[in-house]
Amino acid sequence: MQGDEENKRVVGVLLGEQRQGRIDVTSSFDHSPSSMTAIASTTTPATEVVVHPLVLLSVVDHFRRCDEGDEENKRVVGVLLGEQRQGRIDVTSSFAVPFEEDDADNGIWFLDHSYMENMYRMSKKISAKEKVIGWYSTGPKLRECDIDIHELFYAYTPEPVLVIVDVRAENANIPTSAFAATIEVKEDGTEKQQKTFVHVSSSIEAFEAEEIGVEHLLRDVKDNTVSTLSTKVSEKVQSLRGLKARLEEIKSYMDKVVDGSLPVNHEIMGHLQDAFNLLPNLNLEDYVKGFAVKTNDMMLVIYLSSLIRSVIALHDLINNKVLNKERERQVDGLAAKDKENAEPAKEGEKDAAKDDATAGK
């Protein structure tokens, strides 16, 4: 191109790969500015998915309303609605979609598109801000056909997400897991590109109005026969079970890395090292002394409570003994009075009998 060398510029297209925030530009080709069309706005990939309580209630209700069958393999599918801002996705609403799949062949499934589009059209009339941001499944794990179902939602949003909601009652952890699709390319280039799911951090949050509604709902379903102490203990037990499950998962991962079954992931290793660095050093003298003082204080309270309970039990026993003796004395006194009154009556009867016998003679 000939012309003003200072103001002259050319435009081209870059090709490459993107992995975990790193972009490798491997090739390019030129493109004339006059033939460039309007550049479509791109959506920032999701880095955090926030699920609101209303969505969890809707998913559980959807799961309970479907036909009873194989609880282990049964799952339901629906559409997630919400907003996306700077990589953060707020899932504020959802609706169920008719879905069927073959248990024998995971590649055979059916999703009612017309029903989904009609429901989305009606939901836009209620809240125009809520857009389709992905879909949900009750899993509880990923399945082979999920990536094919995920492809359908690219027609509604550039970066759809999948949220798996674990509706099992025995689950004590956070019941949501979020995933996004990414293109996986083999480094040696021997295989063609294919999409796979990557985990996205998820959390459960609520607006102020939602918090008030959830509090009232929990207040209605609260069992008044259960004391506050037992509730606190059960919550502690559930938390410890969740911690145990996490630790077992970490141990299983580390064992597989040591055996060579899984490659070393430096990001995961960094998070584990940060978690270990946050653990306190319990061998310090101040910590040992503090734990001993706290333990002694708690044991003192337990010891005093046991003493007070024993004294009260002895006091009640003594009062019971005294009360029983007083009642025995009252019963003995009434029996003695009845006996005294009965003896004069018998003597009077004998005298009357003697008088009658004398008069007969």
Side-chain angles (χ1 to χ4, degrees):
M1 295 179 64
Q2 302 295 331
D4 187 2
E5 294 292 334
E6 182 178 355
N7 297 323
K8 181 182 69 175
R9 70 169 183 171
V10 294
V11 176
V13 178
L14 299 177
L15 301 176
E17 302 174 3
Q18 180 177 359
R19 296 178 182 176
Q20 299 178 354
R22 171 191 171 96
I23 299 178
D24 293 320
V25 182
T26 56
S27 63
S28 66
F29 61 90
D30 60 335
H31 202 291
S32 175
S34 59
S35 62
M36 293 284 288
T37 57
I39 300 175
S41 61
T42 58
T43 304
T44 306
T47 57
E48 181 185 6
V49 177
V50 179
V51 183
H52 290 253
L54 181 61
V55 178
L56 298 179
L57 294 176
S58 300
V59 174
V60 174
D61 180 67
H62 182 198
F63 182 79
R64 297 301 179 190
R65 282 189 293 105
C66 72
D67 296 335
E68 297 294 336
D70 189 359
E71 293 291 339
E72 184 177 357
N73 297 322
K74 182 184 71 173
R75 70 167 179 168
V76 295
V77 170
V79 178
L80 298 175
L81 304 176
E83 301 178 17
Q84 181 174 2
R85 297 178 182 176
Q86 299 178 354
R88 173 191 167 104
I89 295 179
D90 284 290
V91 185
T92 55
S93 182
S94 65
F95 60 84
V97 175
F99 175 77
E100 294 289 340
E101 62 182 339
D102 190 356
D103 296 335
D105 187 358
N106 293 326
I108 302 176
W109 51 273
F110 167 75
L111 187 77
D112 196 337
H113 297 264
S114 60
Y115 179 86
M116 181 175 64
E117 292 177 357
N118 292 332
M119 287 293 296
Y120 179 51
R121 192 180 303 111
M122 290 187 290
S123 65
K124 286 179 65 176
K125 297 179 181 179
I126 300 174
S127 178
K129 292 183 179 180
E130 294 181 343
K131 307 294 183 181
V132 174
I133 48 89
W135 60 292
Y136 71 81
S137 168
T138 55
K141 296 181 180 180
L142 290 172
R143 302 191 183 184
E144 295 180 3
C145 63
D146 287 347
I147 195 68
D148 297 330
I149 301 173
H150 197 79
E151 289 288 336
L152 299 176
F153 289 87
Y154 281 100
Y156 303 95
T157 178
E159 295 291 339
V161 294
L162 164 62
V163 176
I164 295 181
V165 182
D166 192 350
V167 296
R168 294 176 298 178
E170 62 271 13
N171 181 28
N173 301 322
I174 296 177
T176 59
S177 300
F179 300 91
T182 184
I183 298 177
E184 183 181 14
V185 182
K186 298 296 182 180
E187 295 181 357
D188 54 2
T190 56
E191 298 182 7
K192 65 178 182 179
Q193 298 180 357
Q194 59 181 359
K195 287 191 175 182
T196 183
F197 284 113
V198 294
H199 187 268
V200 180
S201 63
S202 62
S203 60
I204 300 176
E205 299 181 10
F207 298 126
E208 183 178 358
E210 292 176 328
E211 291 179 357
I212 296 174
V214 171
E215 288 178 359
H216 281 282
L217 178 63
L218 295 177
R219 188 180 304 168
D220 293 336
V221 301
K222 182 180 179 182
D223 189 359
N224 295 323
T225 61
V226 180
S227 64
T228 306
L229 179 60
S230 61
T231 304
K232 291 181 178 180
V233 172
S234 62
E235 291 175 354
K236 299 270 186 194
V237 171
Q238 291 181 358
S239 300
L240 292 175
R241 287 177 180 173
L243 177 60
K244 179 184 177 183
R246 298 294 182 185
L247 293 176
E248 290 177 350
E249 185 177 357
I250 292 173
K251 181 179 180 299
S252 176
Y253 170 76
M254 297 298 291
D255 291 338
K256 292 180 180 179
V257 171
V258 173
D259 297 339
S261 302
L262 292 177
V264 178
N265 190 319
H266 296 286
E267 184 179 359
I268 296 177
M269 293 299 178
H271 289 313
L272 292 177
Q273 188 62 48
D274 293 338
F276 292 144
N277 291 337
L278 293 175
L279 293 175
N281 185 7
L282 301 179
N283 295 325
L284 295 177
E285 184 179 356
D286 294 338
Y287 275 108
V288 174
K289 183 178 179 181
F291 277 115
V293 171
K294 186 68 175 178
T295 303
N296 292 336
D297 292 342
M298 296 178 64
M299 295 302 294
L300 177 62
V301 173
I302 296 174
Y303 178 69
L304 292 176
S305 301
S306 300
L307 285 178
I308 294 172
R309 187 181 303 170
S310 301
V311 171
I312 292 175
L314 289 173
H315 187 267
D316 292 339
L317 179 60
I318 293 173
N319 287 338
N320 190 20
K321 291 286 187 180
V322 172
L323 183 61
N324 290 335
K325 287 184 178 180
E326 289 181 354
R327 289 179 178 176
E328 290 177 357
R329 290 175 182 176
Q330 292 178 358
V331 171
D332 293 341
L334 292 175
K337 289 183 179 179
D338 293 338
K339 186 176 180 180
E340 292 177 356
N341 294 331
E343 290 179 353
K346 289 181 180 180
E347 293 179 356
E349 291 177 358
K350 290 180 179 180
D351 293 340
K354 291 180 180 181
D355 294 337
D356 293 337
T358 306
K361 291 180 180 180

